[in-house]
Amino acid sequence: MRSNGLEYQEQQPDSPIRRRVLGWLVGLINLGVIAGFIAPVLGFISSPARRRREPGEWIPVLNAHELKPGETRAVTYSLMVKDGYMTAEHRYSVYLYHRSDGTVLAFDPSCPHLGCRVEFKERKQRYVCPCHGGVFDTEGNLVSGPPPTGLTKLPARVDGGKIWIQRV
Amino acid sequence: MAHLIEKTTEKPTPRSDGKPERGAELPHRAGRVGAVRDWIEERTGLFGFIKHHLDEPMPPGVGWWQTLGNLLLTLLIFQFITGFALAMFYAPTPDHAHESVKHITENVPLGAFIRGLHHWGSSFIMLVVVLHILRVFFWGAYKKPRELTWLVGVAIFQVILAFAFTGYLLIWDQKAYWATVVGTRFASTVPVIGEWLMHFLRGGKEVGALTLTRFYAIHIMLLPVALVLLTAAHLYLVRRLHIAGPVVPQKGAPQPFYPYQLFRDAVVVLVGMGLLMTCALLFKPPLYPVADPSGTAFTPRPEWYFLGLYELLKLMPPKLEVLGTVVIPGLVAIGMILLPWLDRSPSRHPAYRKWVIDVGLIVIFLIGTLTLKGILSEPPEVIPQSTSVSSSTTGSR
């Protein structure tokens, strides 16, 4: 024994079971603390991904007389959108196609492949994706290239002299 | 008694190789500075630690090729410093991000230069990390006992790719926005959880405010911590297992790391950083118009180091894009991870590792060709045509 006030005793022989149980408890406590901490953090950061999609409202995007039969036109419109912590004006675009039977088709300009914006080539009457070469006809059907499907159609109608679309 | 606490004044046990142990006694220095030095040394062993590593013996034949790791480390440290400086002027919100980057570039003194260092620095890092990986690959330096050093290095490479991807969006211009739209869309091609994963990455259905804050948090918090930990582990393993010498052992005596190899390191760092600074001075970092989700007239093209992947996706047949987005890149990553165990040859010499070298060369050739194809291919002509209308309807992302 030392005389500096610190006294050390011989370590008591310990039972292996006691050591093992205590070891397990240490592991369990640490796991519990980590899980209790990580779970709410994961829940917090994944919350935007769990939000359910709601069908969008109908939006007037163009005066009906401005779209001639057989014409395809890109129309840009603005929406006040709740974007995370802010509500801001976002600009979107949609392709409108006036079919010969008088109905109007609306296409999301996102390529169904990887989301690039398709361009409508007036001369060829084809939509072309500049990224990976997807080609679609005026009805939005896939003609060639890697996209898995045709263009995404948005619900559209003509009402009160205006063309309305519904964002989905 | 055996467990009495005693003042530790005994001399450390000498190393088996005859060299002094870490923190072993260094000659005492006279004067006040020497006294401070001794005081720090006695408590931390810092100077002994440094001396130990500076004296690390380098096998004969170690030379310029072994300077790439040090250059990479220096570039990463510079990238951290310029990133820290940029963060002081940057605002990670969609309505201010582009404006703040524009302000940095055009109004803040030295802003274009600091942003240029960060922008071109990412390309330099990518180039040097690839060269470093290739050097280790061709030298077979991943073989026993350095498998874990290689694995940690592969993890560092993945972290660097993640840095490049998340840093991209922050400037919030057209290129950044659309590259992120396409990049996050990759996640949606993962079977079963793809859609959820994409929304998780984006923080919602579309790329928006929460995508920006997410990427910013990952870029400045998560990835730097991961990189520091992995780099520390990598350096520890490199020093513990010592640097792998040439594949054919060279004649001659080992040389200490300092000053011989450190001199080569310093020269390469001088040249590398000089080139980076020249790039930053001569070429203003690009900034396209502010991100516009409605734009149909912008052709997104990623940075040169992702162009190989970009071109690969053009080759994938319909409905099999998952091959280009997940399967092939995943196979390359898994191949890199398993390399030390796939290569069963006991020799490090390329002549005795034929199939591994052949496969490696094919992969390098394919990635190189696709990247070159991407660089050489002109973006297609764009025809902006749109009519604008406005609506005050409130929707949600």
Side-chain angles (χ1 to χ4, degrees), chain B residues 325-361:
Chain B
T325 55
V326 179
V327 177
I328 294 174
L331 282 176
V332 173
I334 290 169
M336 286 177 80
I337 290 167
L338 295 179
L339 181 61
W341 295 276
L342 292 173
D343 179 4
R344 309 293 287 268
S345 164
S347 171
R348 282 177 48 215
H349 199 292
Y352 300 103
R353 300 186 288 131
K354 272 207 145 191
W355 80 265
V356 172
I357 296 290
D358 289 347
V359 171
L361 285 174

Side-chain angles (χ1 to χ4, degrees), chain B residues 43-64:
Chain B
R43 281 151 187 83
T44 63
L46 176 67
F47 299 106
F49 176 82
I50 293 170
K51 187 175 179 341
H52 173 84
H53 287 290
L54 290 178
D55 288 344
E56 167 88 7
M58 297 283 116
V62 166
W64 295 99

Side-chain angles (χ1 to χ4, degrees), chain A residues 71-101:
Chain A
E71 186 187 1
T72 294
R73 182 187 286 206
V75 175
T76 306
Y77 59 97
S78 301
L79 277 181
M80 291 305 288
V81 171
K82 191 162 169 21
D83 182 6
Y85 53 87
M86 56 192 270
T87 301
E89 185 176 318
H90 278 202
R91 279 153 51 87
Y92 294 97
S93 56
V94 61
Y95 278 110
L96 300 175
Y97 170 53
H98 195 157
R99 296 163 102 182
S100 50
D101 65 0

Side-chain angles (χ1 to χ4, degrees), chain B residues 106-118:
Chain B
E106 292 175 2
N107 301 329
V108 180
L110 291 171
F113 180 62
I114 298 296
R115 215 193 120 215
L117 283 177
H118 202 73

Side-chain angles (χ1 to χ4, degrees), chain B residues 314-334:
Chain B
K314 291 183 184 173
L315 305 176
M316 291 300 115
K319 300 193 178 180
L320 284 177
E321 74 263 31
V322 70
L323 279 179
T325 55
V326 179
V327 177
I328 294 174
L331 282 176
V332 173
I334 290 169

Side-chain angles (χ1 to χ4, degrees), chain A residues 6-84:
Chain A
L6 293 172
E7 292 187 354
Y8 299 89
Q9 295 182 350
E10 290 285 353
Q11 193 173 348
Q12 295 297 315
D14 204 356
S15 80
I17 293 173
R18 188 164 178 247
R19 280 180 69 88
R20 190 173 298 173
V21 169
L22 284 175
W24 275 106
L25 280 175
V26 169
L28 273 177
I29 290 167
N30 285 335
L31 274 179
V33 169
I34 291 167
F37 174 72
I38 292 292
V41 171
L42 286 179
F44 173 71
I45 64 174
S46 66
S47 58
R50 295 196 306 272
R51 201 166 53 211
R52 284 186 184 171
R53 282 197 215 178
E54 288 164 14
E57 294 175 45
W58 284 91
I59 308 150
V61 290
L62 192 69
N63 292 319
H65 66 83
E66 291 182 52
L67 191 68
K68 298 178 189 74
E71 186 187 1
T72 294
R73 182 187 286 206
V75 175
T76 306
Y77 59 97
S78 301
L79 277 181
M80 291 305 288
V81 171
K82 191 162 169 21
D83 182 6

Side-chain angles (χ1 to χ4, degrees), chain A residues 113-114, chain B residues 185-191 194-195 321-322 325-326:
Chain A
H113 182 222
L114 288 168
Chain B
R185 190 76 176 254
F186 274 35
S188 72
T189 61
V190 175
E195 201 75 3
E321 74 263 31
V322 70
T325 55
V326 179

Side-chain angles (χ1 to χ4, degrees), chain A residues 1-2 6 8-10 42 44-51 53 57-62 66 72-87 89-93 95 109-122 130-133 142 145-148 167-168, chain B residues 1 3-6 92-95 177-178 181-183 185-186 188-189 195-196 199-200 203-210 213-214 292-300 309-311 313-314 316-321 325 380-383 385-397:
Chain A
M1 300 288 169
R2 287 170 68 116
L6 293 172
Y8 299 89
Q9 295 182 350
E10 290 285 353
L42 286 179
F44 173 71
I45 64 174
S46 66
S47 58
R50 295 196 306 272
R51 201 166 53 211
R53 282 197 215 178
E57 294 175 45
W58 284 91
I59 308 150
V61 290
L62 192 69
E66 291 182 52
T72 294
R73 182 187 286 206
V75 175
T76 306
Y77 59 97
S78 301
L79 277 181
M80 291 305 288
V81 171
K82 191 162 169 21
D83 182 6
Y85 53 87
M86 56 192 270
T87 301
E89 185 176 318
H90 278 202
R91 279 153 51 87
Y92 294 97
S93 56
Y95 278 110
S110 299
C111 178
H113 182 222
L114 288 168
C116 296
R117 286 300 190 247
V118 296
E119 295 160 29
F120 185 70
K121 304 287 184 190
E122 191 76 46
C131 287
H132 305 106
L142 178 67
R167 279 184 57 80
V168 288
Chain B
M1 286 181 147
H3 42 266
L4 285 183
I5 296 175
E6 293 188 278
T93 67
D95 43 359
Y177 180 86
W178 289 107
V181 167
V182 175
R185 190 76 176 254
F186 274 35
S188 72
T189 61
E195 201 75 3
W196 181 89
H199 292 170
F200 176 74
K205 194 178 136 197
E206 295 169 11
V207 172
L210 292 187
T213 47
R214 235 150 236 255
D292 178 9
S294 69
T296 54
F298 188 81
T299 305
L309 195 55
Y310 178 81
E311 288 296 319
L313 291 167
K314 291 183 184 173
M316 291 300 115
K319 300 193 178 180
L320 284 177
E321 74 263 31
T325 55
E381 183 197 353
V382 289
I383 307 167
Q385 48 159 318
S386 68
T387 305
S388 286
V389 295
S390 190
S391 168
S392 59
T393 313
T394 303
S396 66
R397 294 204 312 118

